[in-house]
Amino acid sequence: DAQIARLKEELSKKNVDIEKLQRQVASQRSQIDEQTQAIAQLDQTNKAQERALVYQDEVINSCYVILGSKKDLERRGVIKKKRMVPESALDKTKFAKVDIRKWREITFEAKKPRVLTSMPSQSYTLSTNGNGSFTLRINNPGEFWSVSNFLVIQTD
């Protein structure tokens, strides 16, 4: 009888220990669930920030180029009364969008090409290839695009 009483007491203590362990496991599961949710939220925030950075990178490195005759540029609203319109009034959809990290030159047909935007003259070269073909090479992109995000070339 004494042995049975001792075993019942040990069993009772073990049951208390098991209940304690079950509470600890439940608490740890709850903490894991909270941390999993926090990680998911951080992951969403991280993805949103990555998208924002990609967009900012695209915006920062995007510039706009247009070539055309005087009449063509007037028709597109780029020049009025022999002057370029202010950048704020330019319609970007009428320009070719370029990535300034990759875009370094353009070859085009022209009679008498003129760069209408006030890009620093030492930052580029405009050379003739013969047969009415010209190439504009950007030697210093940082300096070239520092003045304007728009490049306008009149071809006549």
Side-chain angles (χ1 to χ4, degrees), residues 27-54:
S27 173
Q28 289 174 344
R29 280 191 182 137
S30 175
Q31 287 176 348
I32 289 170
D33 289 344
E34 289 172 8
Q35 290 174 347
T36 301
Q37 288 176 351
I39 289 170
Q41 287 175 342
L42 289 172
D43 189 45
Q44 287 177 345
T45 301
N46 189 31
K47 286 179 182 176
Q49 288 175 340
E50 284 177 7
R51 286 189 300 270
L53 285 173
V54 167

Side-chain angles (χ1 to χ4, degrees), residues 61-101:
N61 292 300
S62 291
C63 288
Y64 303 90
V65 178
I66 193 167
L67 295 103
S69 66
K70 179 180 173 186
K71 285 183 181 180
D72 188 39
L73 295 174
E74 284 175 346
R75 186 174 43 80
R76 293 183 184 191
V78 176
I79 57 175
K80 288 184 181 175
K81 297 179 184 178
K82 299 182 182 183
R83 303 187 112 199
M84 257 190 67
V85 298
E87 280 188 24
S88 59
L90 293 174
D91 180 3
K92 291 179 183 178
T93 62
K94 307 228 174 166
F95 287 74
K97 185 177 179 180
V98 297
D99 184 333
I100 62 174
R101 296 168 293 185

Side-chain angles (χ1 to χ4, degrees), residues 115-142:
V115 177
L116 297 183
T117 44
S118 56
M119 304 307 201
S121 59
Q122 66 276 12
S123 66
Y124 70 94
T125 56
L126 181 61
S127 57
T128 182
N129 303 327
N131 300 328
S133 174
F134 290 83
T135 299
L136 177 115
R137 282 188 184 82
I138 300 172
N139 304 321
N140 185 337

